[in-house]
Amino acid sequence: MYELQVENMSCGHCVAAVTKAVKAVDGNAQVDVDLAGKGVKVQSGAPLDAVKAAIADAGYPVTSAH
């Protein structure tokens, strides 16, 4: 499981966009977005760098990840 801090998320559209970006990398990924805490938890077999890049490419900067 990856835990990421993601900026610029403020609404349901943001949640959908981040989820869609992660699922483009791994269609079986489980994504849990916490808008208030700016957190995204991802359960995926894809490499962390690929997940981070997909989210960033969707317009949501990843400020930390582990």
Side-chain angles (χ1 to χ4, degrees), residues 27-39:
N28 294 321
Q30 293 180 344
V31 183
D32 179 31
V33 178
D34 172 17
L35 278 178
K38 298 183 180 179

Side-chain angles (χ1 to χ4, degrees), residues 17-44:
V18 168
T19 300
K20 182 179 177 182
V22 172
K23 288 191 174 277
V25 175
D26 177 1
N28 294 321
Q30 293 180 344
V31 183
D32 179 31
V33 178
D34 172 17
L35 278 178
K38 298 183 180 179
V40 179
K41 292 182 181 177
V42 179
Q43 182 71 43
S44 172

Side-chain angles (χ1 to χ4, degrees), residues 3-26:
E3 295 187 18
L4 306 94
Q5 286 296 116
V6 180
E7 296 298 317
N8 299 343
M9 297 188 306
S10 61
C11 63
H13 171 76
C14 300
V15 171
V18 168
T19 300
K20 182 179 177 182
V22 172
K23 288 191 174 277
V25 175
D26 177 1

Side-chain angles (χ1 to χ4, degrees), residues 38-63:
K38 298 183 180 179
V40 179
K41 292 182 181 177
V42 179
Q43 182 71 43
S44 172
L48 176 57
D49 287 342
V51 171
K52 287 171 43 180
I55 294 171
D57 287 348
Y60 302 93
V62 178
T63 56

